Amino acid sequence: MRVLFIVNEAAGHGKGKKVWHHLQQQLSMNYEVAFTEYEGHGKELAKNWAQDAQTKQLIVIVGGDGTIHEIVSGVVHNKFIVIGVVRAGSGNDFARYFTTFQNAFQIESYIQNNEMANLPMDVGVVQFGDQQQEIFVNNAGVGFDAFVTKRINKSRLKLYLNKIGLGKLSYAAAVVRGLFSFKSFDVTIRTNDQEWQFKQAWFVATSNQPYFGGGMRISPSSKPNDGLIELTIVHGISRLKLLLVFVTVFFEKHTKFKEITFLQGNQFNIFVQANNVDCHTDGNYIGEIREGTNIPCTVQRNAWQVIAKKH
């Protein structure tokens, strides 16, 4: 089996470089390695490497959720590519749900003894207005979560917290700071036969697995292989109570709030009644959308393969 490591040395503000250096010293197998150099490069590397594949091949990602998003985007619907991950990001929401490699021994055991299974997984698909269509592995969002994502990616606090091993707290810190400047918006959500209208919405999170924001189990019922996506809409809530929601979400108590609505299906259309609302996919900030923009969200079944523990 051919093996390619795609390494984002900048992941986790330099954690990726340290993780790869340690892993490389342990490896005794044949492999190829490529390093990401700019945003979107992971998708290019994965797509180019996989395009001529005729037999099963393994891509091991050393990076965080953003790197995983790029690489899965590059190999989606390629039946010969299996994805493995060595986590090296800040939030690592992917690693909270999916199986990851902990060391070189596990990677070599997988290749030699097939001690782990290859499982097909879904991807969510979303399009924010005039932006190109994007997939998401974990989640996509419109509103406050994207607003926080934009801020956190520019934050010096995140850099400091990563250095002391507390990178996941940077999201919580950005939430508290953003509570006082974000403006809520009205939103309409439609399916083929139903419509919901929400006033003063803070965000609409579209999930393919439960976690977002560095460990918050925002969508407990989400499963990445059931052909469904889940929407979490937070609406009509005060700033102080929203802060309470973010605290309780770590313990899955947020599901009891009347200001949080959960929807499940295989396709949604989201219409935002406000200008300059932020959006993201898998923690990658996309930009702002205009009022009235239709945001279609769908799911594609069995779109990629990931390593998983055998039960």
Side-chain angles (χ1 to χ4, degrees):
M1 177 185 288
R2 290 181 66 201
V3 181
L4 173 68
F5 288 86
I6 298 182
V7 181
N8 179 1
E9 293 185 309
H13 286 282
K15 184 179 178 181
K17 184 175 183 178
K18 295 178 182 178
V19 170
W20 169 244
H21 179 71
H22 180 70
L23 183 68
Q24 187 181 31
Q25 293 179 321
Q26 298 176 339
L27 290 169
S28 59
M29 51 184 260
N30 293 323
Y31 64 88
E32 300 171 54
V33 61
F35 298 91
T36 62
E37 298 176 0
Y38 48 85
E39 185 175 345
H41 194 200
K43 180 177 180 178
E44 295 174 17
L45 291 171
K47 187 174 183 179
N48 291 337
W49 191 79
Q51 62 184 357
D52 297 324
Q54 297 296 320
T55 58
K56 195 71 71 178
Q57 301 182 19
L58 174 66
I59 294 180
V60 181
I61 303 166
V62 180
D65 294 327
T67 312
I68 296 165
H69 167 89
E70 288 189 8
I71 292 167
V72 173
S73 297
V75 301
V76 68
H77 299 304
N78 187 321
K79 63 182 180 180
F80 296 112
I81 304 301
V82 181
I83 297 293
V85 171
V86 177
R87 64 179 181 177
S90 300
N92 295 311
D93 285 318
F94 178 95
R96 297 177 194 280
Y97 187 88
F98 293 95
T99 299
T100 58
F101 290 124
Q102 303 300 310
N103 49 53
F105 174 77
Q106 288 185 350
I107 299 171
E108 294 176 351
S109 293
Y110 165 78
I111 295 168
Q112 295 169 7
N113 306 318
N114 199 24
E115 292 183 356
M116 294 181 175
N118 305 329
L119 296 182
M121 294 290 165
D122 305 336
V123 292
V125 182
V126 63
Q127 183 162 359
F128 298 108
D130 297 332
Q131 304 282 350
Q132 69 178 16
Q133 193 177 73
E134 293 272 354
I135 69 135
F136 57 92
V137 178
N138 298 325
N139 51 68
V142 180
F144 187 64
D145 57 336
F147 177 80
V148 169
T149 294
K150 177 173 64 175
R151 288 194 160 203
I152 202 173
N153 288 342
K154 301 177 181 178
S155 172
R156 292 184 178 180
L157 178 62
K158 180 180 180 181
L159 174 60
Y160 173 74
L161 289 171
N162 276 328
K163 285 182 177 180
I164 61 175
L166 297 174
K168 66 181 182 181
L169 295 181
S170 57
Y171 191 92
V175 164
V176 175
R177 294 178 63 184
L179 277 173
F180 302 99
S181 55
F182 181 79
K183 295 181 180 179
S184 60
F185 55 95
D186 296 343
V187 63
T188 299
I189 297 172
R190 296 173 185 158
T191 62
N192 290 332
D193 55 2
Q194 286 185 280
E195 178 178 293
W196 299 264
Q197 295 184 348
F198 300 98
K199 298 292 185 181
Q200 297 180 316
W202 281 79
F203 65 83
V204 180
T206 309
S207 299
N208 190 43
Q209 62 108 320
Y211 294 97
F212 93 151
M216 289 186 277
R217 197 173 169 90
I218 190 70
S219 183
S221 64
S222 288
K223 297 178 181 178
N225 58 353
D226 62 357
L228 300 170
I229 50 177
E230 288 72 30
L231 301 190
T232 305
I233 307 100
V234 178
H235 54 95
I237 192 170
S238 69
R239 296 177 192 274
L240 184 60
K241 195 170 183 179
L242 180 62
L243 182 58
L244 178 61
V245 166
F246 277 105
V247 172
T248 60
V249 74
F250 286 101
F251 311 100
E252 295 184 39
K253 301 298 184 182
H254 64 295
T255 57
K256 302 181 184 299
F257 286 88
K258 61 180 175 55
E259 297 91 346
I260 302 181
T261 299
F262 298 93
L263 302 175
Q264 185 181 65
N266 56 21
Q267 67 86 25
F268 295 96
N269 288 287
I270 302 169
F271 298 87
V272 173
Q273 277 86 62
N275 277 317
N276 304 321
V277 179
D278 297 305
C279 51
H280 79 93
T281 54
D282 288 330
N284 295 323
Y285 182 71
I286 301 298
E288 299 176 344
I289 53 175
R290 299 188 301 271
E291 183 173 5
T293 298
N294 176 25
I295 305 168
C297 301
T298 58
V299 62
Q300 295 180 359
R301 296 296 312 271
N302 303 329
W304 63 290
Q305 295 183 81
V306 66
I307 60 102
K309 293 178 181 177
K310 290 183 176 179
H311 297 289

